[in-house]
Amino acid sequence: ARRLGLPDQADFALEELVACGVLPADVEPAPVRAGLAGGFGAAAAAEARETPRAFPREDLTGVFTVAVDDADTREVDDAVSLREVDGGLELLVHVADVAAAVPAGGALDAALRARASSLYLPDRTVYMLPEDLATARLPLATGEPRSAVTAFLRIAADGTLAAARFARTLVTLDRRVTYDESRDAARLGA
């Protein structure tokens, strides 16, 4: 890319984030120099190895659940379900329960607040969470019960939101669908 006079994609993306005011002007153009690609401190890493806290959970493992992501996504952190309840529809939005694995106010919590998000670059992903938590222990997984926080959204006949509640749940991902597959299904009326 540089031989053609085009900017390096990673540097260009960071420069654009600076130009938009998302990152401070003094950020280094490469993630390594910016400290974004570095590991976690010893205390944060130790907290990440601890067993997540157990909470009472509603068992939703029998509810059909689908995640829509890129084909190569390793951190499947959200999914949806739709079911009929009392003659109406209920949309369930499931999000992996990261808070169960991150002690509030601890070193790991502070590190995650500083990172704020995973960073997806053309040549690598810099995970917000330690990689083992992000890609193995916390994501929603096909055929495996996983801890989640679920929004239960009751939809009225006119399409408006009739009721909402939130709960800690146990969900099993039944199917992963790519964005392209979901677009194709929508076009076919499925």
Side-chain angles (χ1 to χ4, degrees):
R2 289 191 189 280
R3 287 192 321 203
L4 298 173
L6 300 174
D8 176 81
Q9 290 178 336
D11 287 349
F12 178 74
L14 287 172
E15 289 168 6
E16 289 301 307
L17 290 171
V18 169
C20 294
V22 174
L23 292 175
D26 60 350
V27 70
E28 294 290 334
V32 173
R33 287 178 276 162
L36 296 173
F40 291 83
E47 287 177 11
R49 288 189 297 273
E50 293 176 9
T51 302
R53 294 172 288 169
F55 291 101
R57 296 186 181 277
E58 288 186 40
D59 187 345
L60 299 176
T61 55
V63 177
F64 188 79
T65 302
V66 177
V68 181
D69 280 299
D70 285 322
D72 59 350
T73 296
R74 293 178 57 206
E75 52 181 336
V76 179
D77 55 5
D78 53 46
V80 294
S81 303
L82 186 65
R83 63 184 181 177
E84 288 187 49
V85 177
D86 299 329
L89 291 177
E90 186 174 50
L91 174 65
L92 288 74
V93 181
H94 315 283
V95 179
D97 190 358
V98 174
V102 180
L108 183 56
D109 186 32
L112 298 182
R113 287 176 188 273
R115 287 184 179 220
S117 175
S118 293
L119 183 60
Y120 302 97
L121 300 170
D123 62 340
R124 67 188 163 281
T125 299
V126 180
Y127 295 104
M128 179 177 90
L129 296 164
E131 190 168 353
D132 179 58
L133 283 178
T135 64
R137 293 175 43 209
L138 292 180
L140 304 179
T142 304
E144 294 183 39
R146 293 293 174 99
S147 297
V149 174
T150 299
F152 296 78
L153 308 170
R154 188 73 56 98
I155 311 299
D158 66 359
T160 60
L161 182 63
R165 72 180 179 91
F166 298 87
R168 281 199 150 102
T169 58
L170 193 63
V171 300
T172 299
L173 191 59
D174 293 291
R175 179 109 192 265
R176 287 187 62 185
V177 178
T178 67
Y179 292 118
D180 289 336
E181 289 171 329
S182 68
R183 278 189 291 275
D184 290 345
R187 269 184 256 153
L188 295 173

